[in-house]
Amino acid sequence: AQKITQTQPGMFVQEKEAVTLDCTYDTSDQSYGLFWYKQPSSGEMIFLIYQGSYDEQNATEGRYSLNFQKARKSANLVISASQLGDSAMYFCAYIRQGGSEKLVFGKGTKLTVNP
Amino acid sequence: KAGVTQTPRYLIKTRGQQVTLSCSPISGHRSVSWYQQTPGQGLQFLFEYFSETQRNKGNFPGRFSGRQFSNSRSEMNVSTLELGDSALYLCASTLDRVAHGYTFGSGTRLTVV
């Protein structure tokens, strides 16, 4: 079974600085996708960014970018110019494409942005 | 456009009772998935429905069940509630193309006392 590891239970960053949230995955699948979601205290999971295993370029969405290193099986999220509203839980999730389409989540990282 | 709507937002039930949670997906989305989130186990997949058929099921006891209607709305039911069923239950819908991502609702927070 696939395993997603987020080694940072909590991270702190100063407003306007960049921060990297780590995610590694363990799989033997050839075709898969990786997501990052943000969960504020309200509970809703907000989609941030997606990377497919065959995508040649790293995904970017505004201030979010995904540092995808396939050989190392890592998919780190980079948030540039942090804002106070970025304080939340962040989850990395894996999905096997072409098979059972269920998301497998990591344990999450709690990000706190300090003013 | 309207997002994924889950009702109710909060629920308090007594052990042994049953509960039904509702999820209305984004218009046009035919795939609806359910996840349970607890502090101890994190986010775990419950089941997925597509065009009224259960397509995938997680490792949960038979007390957890669900269904999907012809308008893609989905319900999940938990019978004989246990204290350990207290959790945030999240519903997600998708156009059935992974790259579009899964859109989640705000969840139903169930407390079993």
Side-chain angles (χ1 to χ4, degrees), chain A:
Chain A
Q2 296 80 19
K3 183 178 179 181
I4 311 303
T5 302
Q6 294 181 252
T7 58
Q8 307 151 315
M11 287 284 285
F12 294 86
V13 65
Q14 289 297 122
E15 194 178 6
K16 300 181 184 178
E17 291 185 350
V19 63
T20 298
L21 306 184
D22 295 341
C23 172
T24 58
Y25 57 95
D26 183 16
T27 186
S28 57
D29 297 331
Q30 296 300 308
S31 182
Y32 54 86
L34 294 150
F35 295 88
W36 277 92
Y37 282 90
K38 171 185 177 181
Q39 187 178 42
S41 56
S42 60
E44 182 180 0
M45 298 285 282
I46 301 167
F47 167 72
L48 296 177
I49 198 166
Y50 167 82
Q51 180 85 41
S53 59
Y54 290 114
D55 293 341
E56 294 184 353
Q57 292 190 329
N58 287 344
T60 60
E61 290 283 353
R63 294 186 300 112
Y64 305 106
S65 61
L66 202 152
N67 184 3
F68 181 50
Q69 298 188 43
K70 192 172 180 178
R72 298 180 62 182
K73 294 185 178 178
S74 73
N76 298 337
L77 176 70
V78 180
I79 305 174
S80 63
S82 297
Q83 302 172 356
L84 296 178
D86 293 335
S87 293
M89 285 292 294
Y90 288 80
F91 292 93
C92 179
Y94 173 100
I95 191 166
R96 184 177 65 180
Q97 294 183 2
S100 60
E101 291 195 358
K102 65 175 183 178
L103 292 168
V104 178
F105 286 89
K107 293 293 187 183
T109 295
K110 184 174 182 180
L111 176 66
T112 302
V113 181
N114 295 316

Side-chain angles (χ1 to χ4, degrees), chain B residues 32-50:
Chain B
V32 174
S33 303
W34 290 87
Y35 292 81
Q36 181 197 64
Q37 186 177 24
T38 59
Q41 299 298 317
L43 283 146
Q44 293 185 290
F45 173 77
L46 280 157
F47 27 66
E48 184 213 1
Y49 287 88
F50 180 81

Side-chain angles (χ1 to χ4, degrees), chain B residues 20-93:
Chain B
T20 299
L21 312 182
S22 178
C23 172
S24 293
I26 290 175
S27 178
H29 286 193
R30 294 187 296 167
S31 170
V32 174
S33 303
W34 290 87
Y35 292 81
Q36 181 197 64
Q37 186 177 24
T38 59
Q41 299 298 317
L43 283 146
Q44 293 185 290
F45 173 77
L46 280 157
F47 27 66
E48 184 213 1
Y49 287 88
F50 180 81
S51 293
E52 302 180 63
T53 300
Q54 186 180 87
R55 194 158 66 170
N56 201 359
K57 189 177 190 304
N59 188 26
F60 278 82
R63 300 185 297 107
F64 291 82
S65 63
R67 59 178 176 170
Q68 187 179 33
F69 301 95
S70 58
N71 61 358
S72 293
R73 189 177 72 85
S74 177
E75 289 181 346
M76 68 163 281
N77 184 77
V78 188
S79 63
T80 320
L81 283 165
E82 300 176 0
L83 296 179
D85 297 333
S86 295
L88 178 66
Y89 290 88
L90 290 161
C91 166
S93 74

